[in-house]
Amino acid sequence: GKSACGRRSRRPALVRITSIDASLAALSSLAEGRAVVSVRVESPTFDLSQLPKTDDLSQLPKTETPGAETKRTPAAASIRVPPLDLTELEIRHAALKFRMGNTTADLAVEQLRGELKTGIVRQGFTAALTVSGAELRRKSYRAKLDEIHAEGGMDGGGLYVSSASVTGDRITATATATRVPHRHVVEATFDPGLLGVVVDELSLVSGQAHVTGTVTGDLIDPLSEGQLTVQQGAIAHHVLGDLSTHVTHRGAKLGFDNVRLSGAGGQVTGAVDLVVVKEVPIHGELAWQGIDIERMLAIIGPEIPFNDQFSATTSVHGSLDPLDLDVKATGSLQPTLVSTTTD
């Protein structure tokens, strides 16, 4: 349409590509029922941040028949790929912009190389993929990955990997298929501050994090769970202690149960849930036992001499983006026992 001043309004392009170089096999190969293709793409840019906003589908109520078992149809089940051999796929200098919560994020990839082969009779495909020089940026936060390598494919149960590995700045991770279809064992070691690229406040967290667990189902919408430990966990360089928790993840939802943080300043246990959409809502129930007030206050400001400990239960509700929390607590305060020696 036209604006009031007579000029045609223009929206930013969703896709821009500098060049595409593709080749197709001779007709004799096509006569055998399979096309042989190679594709090279230079500088593709995708801007998904301009798409209309939609609510997170994982938050919508699901219609279920009482007494009936709910089954999830694999998201990849509707994908149909014609018989072909993609002998070479090369994409250089790709960029993707998309919404993450209330802000936009940018993913840049220096090079992506892959190959794919589909079946003539059976549905699905097998593929191998290598990504070099990937960087995710949101606000002032960065997450850099040197290389991602994965081998897998798609069948009637959805997407899967046979093996995968990730190496990058402050992170290494692996995934391996098990004998159970669409069940993968994962393991990762990383700096938790790296997650600031997803949630601002997590950039203040440091320590040595390690997670082992499983990823089950179609990788387009998998269920992930595992055990997370963080040694010498700290906030803004103030060491709190060692953290352990059971983690579950599906879609935008993250759940942390059996949380246990133990250190010289006391112990915290409980459970926390958050959803990485919009304002990043968070809910938690925590129990604090023998917390050293002087140590705790030092985390958020200058050291104040307190010879007291407190034990309490707290309920935390609110959002992380922007930070707006409602904290309710009940508990008691006790003087810290100071040991003395006599000659």
Side-chain angles (χ1 to χ4, degrees), residues 94 106-111 131-137 142-148 166-169:
D106 295 277
L107 175 64
V109 174
E110 290 184 9
Q111 185 181 57
V131 176
S132 303
E135 182 180 54
L136 177 62
R137 301 185 294 269
R142 301 285 188 274
K144 296 182 179 180
L145 301 178
D146 298 323
E147 183 175 273
I148 304 170
V166 176
T167 57
D169 182 19

Side-chain angles (χ1 to χ4, degrees), residues 76-99:
S78 59
I79 299 176
R80 295 291 185 271
V81 182
L84 63 84
D85 282 351
L86 181 57
T87 57
E88 181 184 20
L89 170 65
E90 181 179 8
I91 300 176
R92 294 172 53 85
H93 306 113
L96 170 66
K97 182 184 290 290
F98 58 98
R99 271 195 295 267

Side-chain angles (χ1 to χ4, degrees), residues 265-268 287-294 296 308-311:
Q267 178 174 275
V268 181
W288 309 66
Q289 300 174 347
I291 302 301
D292 187 319
I293 295 181
E294 183 175 341
M296 186 183 71
D308 295 292
Q309 294 180 345
F310 79 90
S311 297

Side-chain angles (χ1 to χ4, degrees), residues 9 20 30 41 95 102-103 106 110 114 123-124 144 147 198 201 228 230 255 267 279 282 288-289 310 322 333 342:
S9 60
I20 298 178
L30 295 177
V41 182
N102 285 331
T103 59
D106 295 277
E110 290 184 9
Q123 172 192 346
K144 296 182 179 180
E147 183 175 273
V198 180
E201 286 70 22
L228 169 67
V230 181
Q267 178 174 275
E279 292 81 17
I282 183 172
W288 309 66
Q289 300 174 347
F310 79 90
L333 193 67
T342 57

